Amino acid sequence: MSVTILAPSPTLTVTVEDHPQGSEIHVHAGGQGVWQARMLRRLQVPVTMCCLLTGEVGRTLRHLMEDEDVTVHALTRDGRGSAYVHDRRGGERIVVDEEDGDPIGRHDLDDLYSAMLRSSDPSSVVVLSGPAGDDTIPADFYRRLTIDLRAAGKTVVADLAGERLEAVVTGGVDILKVSHEELKADGLVSAVTDDEIITAMHRLRADGAGAVIVTRAGDPLLLADAQGVLEVTPPPFEETETRGAGDSLTAGLIAALTRSENLRDAITLGAAAGALNVTRHGLGTGDAELIESLREKVTVREVPATGAGDREPEGRVSPDGLAALAEPEASS
């Protein structure tokens, strides 16, 4: 069962690492959608990436992504593509330069929208990831796409924040993943306490999201669905690199959904993939067998409703596609 990922503007990443014989330069495709695709391929899920590739950066990115066995459905244009150069020789990640790339024009947006509808036709799950910069693509693109993909019978998963989060919620996204820092930055919580986060999750569900996942850095993540709220605790590891862990979590969750697992079981594979990724320099990487074994160490508990803020508000319930993934007999 295949997955299609919208990755509007992948990033060419150049990272300088320390090596006993001198500096070592690594060149990879990167960005949220790429990291999700990379982990999905590690978990043996076929992936199509729909994107816009710009200039010489884009030409390089195509080869890098295809080398990772990702099917690339790309529109091309001239201009400046998204790229960065980071220096990690001292142990910390130092930004040498970063470029978001050129905004996507109206005609390219129309073509990208059509390309996404075509690319996703054979897929059961579609992932909407964000662009490299805030001004690259308008938020309403995500609202319209969410509505049309769900109408086509797809399960739509989004890992977004800000106006794009609001857009996919309005469009009725099936599964929304967001971090507690993003909830606070968006003004959805004033403090990152359990009660405030859970209240915000219920509000997002009432506004249109089928299920909401909130990651909380080193604390257990939370899942709110039609059955209530789960607290999910992955095994702890010493952190090497925290970036990409949330994207690995999203990919692990989706990989389990493609196996027809229900949502409450699928979250454990996601938690295992995200936990392992913090031990690695490579973003969106990890050994599939190890991830499967770590899954057994993920603990899940039901969060009891203790007050008005914890009660499920009236509003939209999960769509048919999501309900099939989160059946009542799901383990807790």
Side-chain angles (χ1 to χ4, degrees), residues 223-235:
L223 163 66
D225 61 8
Q227 301 175 56
V229 178
L230 292 182
E231 180 185 85
V232 182
T233 306

Side-chain angles (χ1 to χ4, degrees), residues 77-99:
R77 62 172 180 169
D78 294 327
R80 298 174 307 139
S82 174
Y84 69 63
V85 179
H86 289 175
D87 188 342
R88 283 184 54 99
R89 284 174 294 183
E92 299 293 326
R93 185 179 291 273
I94 306 299
V95 176
V96 178
D97 202 0
E98 293 183 336
E99 172 57 58

Side-chain angles (χ1 to χ4, degrees), residues 7-321:
S9 51
T11 299
L12 180 65
T13 74
V14 181
T15 306
V16 186
E17 301 272 2
D18 196 20
H19 189 274
Q21 279 73 48
S23 297
E24 189 171 33
I25 299 174
H26 299 271
V27 180
H28 296 290
Q32 185 183 44
V34 172
W35 297 327
Q36 292 164 347
R38 182 173 293 140
M39 178 57 75
L40 281 164
R41 290 303 300 127
R42 295 294 192 279
L43 297 172
Q44 304 301 309
V45 177
V47 178
T48 296
M49 179 175 295
C50 185
C51 55
L52 183 65
L53 299 179
T54 304
E56 60 183 1
V57 164
R59 291 191 289 274
T60 303
L61 283 168
R62 179 189 288 274
H63 291 297
L64 291 171
M65 291 187 290
E66 289 178 344
D67 284 347
E68 296 194 55
D69 199 25
V70 174
T71 299
V72 180
H73 188 174
L75 306 174
T76 60
R77 62 172 180 169
D78 294 327
R80 298 174 307 139
S82 174
Y84 69 63
V85 179
H86 289 175
D87 188 342
R88 283 184 54 99
R89 284 174 294 183
E92 299 293 326
R93 185 179 291 273
I94 306 299
V95 176
V96 178
D97 202 0
E98 293 183 336
E99 172 57 58
D100 289 339
D102 295 327
I104 302 176
R106 179 171 61 85
H107 295 299
D108 286 331
L109 279 175
D110 288 344
D111 290 342
L112 182 62
Y113 197 95
S114 297
M116 188 62 191
L117 295 178
R118 289 196 305 273
S119 298
S120 62
D121 185 58
S123 298
S124 59
V125 181
V126 178
V127 188
L128 303 183
S129 68
D134 288 339
D135 298 327
T136 304
I137 187 169
D140 195 59
F141 183 95
Y142 287 86
R143 180 192 63 82
R144 296 186 295 114
L145 193 56
T146 301
I147 292 171
D148 288 343
L149 289 169
R150 292 192 68 251
K154 312 301 180 185
T155 296
V156 180
V157 181
D159 186 350
L160 299 166
E163 292 182 351
R164 286 181 282 274
L165 179 151
E166 295 178 9
V168 295
V169 169
T170 300
V173 66
D174 293 301
I175 304 172
L176 172 68
K177 181 262 176 186
V178 63
S179 72
H180 72 291
E181 294 100 335
E182 290 166 334
L183 287 178
K184 189 172 183 180
D186 291 345
L188 297 174
V189 298
S190 57
V192 288
T193 63
D194 287 5
D195 285 348
E196 281 214 35
I197 291 173
I198 290 172
T199 298
M201 295 170 78
H202 287 324
R203 188 181 305 118
L204 288 167
R205 290 201 66 249
D207 288 345
V212 179
I213 298 166
V214 176
T215 56
R216 301 187 295 170
D219 292 330
L221 64 94
L222 297 171
L223 163 66
D225 61 8
Q227 301 175 56
V229 178
L230 292 182
E231 180 185 85
V232 182
T233 306
F237 290 105
E238 186 72 18
E239 294 179 353
T240 295
E241 173 63 82
T242 58
R243 295 192 328 148
D247 299 315
S248 293
L249 183 152
T250 301
L253 168 81
I254 292 166
L257 294 181
T258 64
R259 305 172 190 172
S260 299
E261 295 189 26
N262 63 67
L263 179 60
R264 289 188 156 209
D265 287 341
I267 192 64
T268 61
L269 185 62
L276 181 61
N277 194 239
V278 304
T279 70
R280 304 172 62 86
H281 288 99
L283 306 184
T285 63
D287 178 81
E289 290 186 8
L290 180 54
I291 290 170
E292 291 286 356
S293 66
L294 289 174
R295 187 180 194 182
E296 299 176 3
K297 299 180 180 179
V298 175
T299 62
V300 180
R301 76 173 185 92
E302 192 88 32
V303 178
T306 58
D310 295 324
R311 289 200 297 267
E312 179 75 11
E314 294 182 2
R316 171 185 175 273
V317 297
S318 302
D320 292 343

